[in-house]
Amino acid sequence: YTGIITDTGSLSYACNYPETYRTIAELVECGINTEDVHRQIYDTYSEERLRLLGFCISERMIVNKELHTAYIYLNKKDLYKYKYKTGDLEGVVNYTLAMSGINFGALFTEREDRIRISFRSKKYFDVNLFARAHFDGGGHKNASGGNGFDTLDNIIKKFETLLPQYRSELEQS
């Protein structure tokens, strides 16, 4: 159940398969407490993680309405300030897509040896192809990842420079 809920964004990502719902029904019939599982997944954040999320949205989110894109970036200093632990950024990139008119979102995170990038999109824009072509990455059509092996600033500049090439695809999504 946890895998289904997390992989489908609580049944919101292209989840039009009746078998998924049948599987959930079987799990409920077996006695799984869906409310408890949901709380364990989504209501157990540390104070630092919640403050980091607020910082990401209020201070580190850049929105380009013209190109239907938003991204968040974090450097090592930001991560240290909020006592970052593995998993604290899980799902943060999805907040970029919560805005009306935004079809492409990214999260850039500075690590010791690289810039880790998470890509998300709505509908038609294929972030898997984008990540493979430009950021040594891959994944799925609407959820993918990649890496940059330069400074955070240079990787973001590269990303911003690429966006106009995808204008028509970003408008369709």
Side-chain angles (χ1 to χ4, degrees):
Y1 181 78
T2 299
I4 291 170
I5 292 304
T6 56
D7 285 352
T8 65
S10 296
L11 303 173
S12 66
Y13 305 143
C15 192
N16 296 321
Y17 303 104
E19 191 58 36
T20 303
Y21 294 93
R22 285 198 249 331
T23 301
I24 290 172
E26 289 175 22
L27 291 168
V28 170
E29 287 169 354
C30 289
I32 190 166
N33 184 332
T34 59
E35 187 176 351
D36 185 53
V37 172
H38 188 274
R39 281 194 190 123
Q40 290 295 317
I41 296 169
Y42 298 108
D43 297 340
T44 56
Y45 293 176
S46 67
E47 179 182 346
E48 290 84 7
R49 181 178 181 180
L50 206 51
R51 290 188 184 281
L52 176 59
L53 173 60
F55 176 76
C56 288
I57 294 169
S58 69
E59 303 298 322
R60 292 290 193 248
M61 186 168 64
I62 307 298
V63 178
N64 183 330
K65 290 181 183 179
E66 181 183 333
L67 293 172
H68 307 278
T69 300
Y71 66 86
I72 295 169
Y73 66 94
L74 293 165
N75 59 41
K76 288 186 278 189
K77 186 176 174 183
D78 298 331
L79 298 176
Y80 179 78
K81 177 180 178 181
Y82 290 97
K83 300 178 178 107
Y84 169 79
K85 290 186 272 325
T86 301
D88 283 353
L89 294 176
E90 190 67 37
V92 169
V93 66
N94 298 324
Y95 285 94
T96 60
L97 297 179
M99 289 178 283
S100 177
I102 300 300
N103 298 322
F104 183 23
L107 170 65
F108 298 87
T109 309
E110 185 178 35
R111 306 287 188 186
E112 289 301 320
D113 60 342
R114 64 193 161 118
I115 306 303
R116 182 71 190 134
I117 314 164
S118 295
F119 298 111
R120 298 294 183 273
S121 66
K122 293 178 186 171
K123 297 183 184 178
Y124 310 112
F125 188 68
D126 193 328
V127 293
N128 175 40
L129 295 177
F130 183 86
R132 287 180 188 278
H134 305 292
F135 292 100
D136 190 33
H140 303 282
K141 180 181 176 186
N142 297 118
S144 192
N147 298 291
F149 299 97
D150 201 341
T151 66
L152 179 60
D153 287 342
N154 286 344
I155 295 300
I156 290 172
K157 285 177 189 169
K158 176 181 176 181
F159 175 77
E160 290 174 337
T161 301
L162 290 167
L163 291 176
Q165 298 173 38
Y166 294 90
R167 179 184 302 274
S168 64
E169 292 170 66
L170 291 168
E171 289 172 349
Q172 290 177 15
S173 288

